[in-house]
Amino acid sequence: PAFFSSTATSNRQSVTTTEHVRVRFNRIPRTILFAEAEWEQEDTDYFESDPGVIQGFLRDSEADSTDQDYRFGATVTPWRRATLTSHLRYRKKKSRYDHLRDEGPVGSPGFGYSAFLLGRDVETYEFATKLSVRPQPWFQAHLGYQLRSTDYDTDTDAVTFGSPSDTPGGWLQAGEYDSSIYTLAMVLTPWERVTMNGSLTYLDSRTKAASNGDPAVDDYEGDVLSLLLGGSYLLNDTTDLVAHYSFSSGDYSQGNTADGLPLGIDYDLHSLQAGLSTLVHENVRLNLQYLYQHYEETSSGDINDYTAHGIFANCAVSW
């Protein structure tokens, strides 16, 4: 057997400044217009060294980044029991790297990671809207939708090995992310001692990475459906019962067996939690809970499936 020892050194120093502006206009009946802008600048010095590893590692870099975040929207109350809020958002973060020394385990200076990376831009567009209604004092509901798109661009050094893997360097689109989120939530208090709530969320998303046209690299695309139901019942002035059930089902299985590997994940998760909370003294509260979980993952041939039971007790003291 062979044994290796090393002494690593790491140091990071950063300076960040932030500016924030918020404007609201409420001269339109039942309407509030708002706009927000935030700017952030960060200067960071990195130093990492580990001369004891097999080929050695050293990084001495300076990074400058700017972050711009703009949001514009409106809140409309057409009726006393209904409110609609919508906004548009644009965000762009730019990072630039100045590598004072470029040494790495691959090749001679110029090819080491992460000094191979010269810059990175992340640009995001977002639209979100939410409708809240309260037709009765004991019932309220929320309906929401969010659409988001993010582009990742990376600036790199050129790499020349005299092979098809050579890259000319410069800017390239490293990845894309697109998602849609639909949400429905409700809160009910039909009786003074009873509170019930529930929410249903559906997420549809796709992540695409640069692959140089290789069909073996497939998009990470799929959806997640989440359900949450809960409630509480006040037995008396000091004791209440609580219960929550959640279900999550995700399908990101790619099935790319023709050109690559059948990666991704396909799962179902059930979780039930119930308990009792009681005030045993004016400043002492005791909680006792039971948890049940059942997980199935068909994409792994059910090798990761499990069923779990748990009992939790805790005591909170305030003074």
Side-chain angles (χ1 to χ4, degrees):
F3 299 93
F4 302 95
S5 63
S6 64
T7 302
T9 301
S10 177
N11 183 38
R12 171 178 173 174
Q13 297 179 341
S14 62
V15 177
T16 303
T17 57
T18 303
E19 303 84 36
H20 192 179
V21 176
R22 177 181 297 174
V23 179
R24 293 168 61 91
F25 182 78
N26 57 4
R27 295 298 182 90
I28 303 175
R30 301 181 180 272
T31 301
I32 298 177
L33 302 178
F34 60 87
E36 297 181 44
E38 184 173 314
W39 301 270
E40 182 178 284
Q41 305 83 37
E42 183 177 28
D43 298 328
T44 307
D45 296 331
Y46 297 94
F47 181 82
E48 299 172 300
S49 175
D50 193 353
V53 297
I54 299 176
Q55 293 177 296
F57 173 80
L58 184 144
R59 179 189 182 189
D60 190 0
S61 305
E62 295 178 351
D64 300 324
S65 67
T66 59
D67 193 349
Q68 308 173 56
D69 194 346
Y70 306 98
R71 193 165 73 104
F72 172 78
T75 298
V76 182
T77 309
W79 305 284
R80 185 170 59 91
R81 299 184 181 274
T83 301
L84 176 65
T85 300
S86 302
H87 76 254
L88 293 171
R89 184 183 181 190
Y90 171 77
R91 182 179 182 185
K92 185 168 186 178
K93 184 171 184 179
K94 301 171 62 176
S95 302
R96 301 295 181 266
Y97 307 104
D98 181 16
H99 305 290
L100 307 180
R101 284 182 285 181
D102 187 354
E103 302 174 25
V106 181
S108 192
F111 299 111
Y113 183 89
S114 62
F116 173 74
L117 303 176
L118 303 179
R120 185 170 185 257
D121 287 353
V122 181
E123 192 171 25
T124 300
Y125 298 88
E126 177 185 290
F127 168 74
T129 185
K130 180 181 179 180
L131 175 64
S132 301
V133 295
R134 191 170 186 173
Q136 296 293 333
W138 53 269
F139 173 71
Q140 56 181 312
H142 309 277
L143 183 63
Y145 172 70
Q146 182 191 80
L147 177 66
R148 176 178 294 182
S149 177
T150 302
D151 294 328
Y152 301 87
D153 295 287
T154 304
D155 185 19
T156 68
D157 272 332
V159 176
T160 305
F161 290 113
S163 67
S165 62
D166 291 354
T167 60
W171 285 98
L172 60 88
Q173 189 174 41
E176 301 175 9
Y177 174 78
D178 300 297
S179 67
S180 298
I181 303 176
Y182 307 84
T183 305
L184 173 63
M186 292 179 290
V187 178
L188 296 88
T189 53
W191 301 283
E192 183 180 357
R193 295 178 176 270
V194 177
T195 300
M196 296 182 291
N197 60 81
S199 65
L200 181 66
T201 303
Y202 176 73
L203 165 67
D204 180 18
S205 68
R206 178 185 68 96
T207 302
K208 180 180 180 180
S211 61
N212 292 327
D214 189 345
V217 182
D218 202 1
D219 295 349
Y220 193 72
E221 184 176 7
D223 51 30
V224 177
L225 179 66
S226 301
L227 173 66
L228 176 63
L229 300 174
S232 64
Y233 176 69
L234 185 64
L235 290 175
N236 50 54
D237 294 339
T238 60
T239 305
D240 59 328
L241 298 173
V242 294
H244 298 280
Y245 168 75
S246 64
F247 169 73
S248 178
S249 178
D251 185 3
Y252 280 84
S253 55
Q254 299 178 22
N256 190 23
T257 56
D259 300 302
L261 297 174
L263 302 176
I265 187 172
D266 185 0
Y267 73 90
D268 291 324
L269 173 62
H270 300 264
S271 179
L272 175 64
Q273 187 171 355
L276 174 73
S277 177
T278 182
L279 192 67
V280 297
H281 192 268
E282 61 180 6
N283 61 342
V284 179
R285 177 168 289 276
L286 179 65
N287 298 284
L288 181 64
Q289 292 184 335
Y290 166 74
L291 174 67
Y292 168 81
Q293 283 189 342
H294 180 69
Y295 179 76
E296 296 180 355
E297 188 179 295
T298 57
S299 55
S300 64
D302 295 317
I303 194 174
N304 293 321
D305 294 2
Y306 71 86
T307 298
H309 302 268
I311 297 177
F312 306 90
N314 66 76
C315 181
V317 181
S318 61
W319 65 86

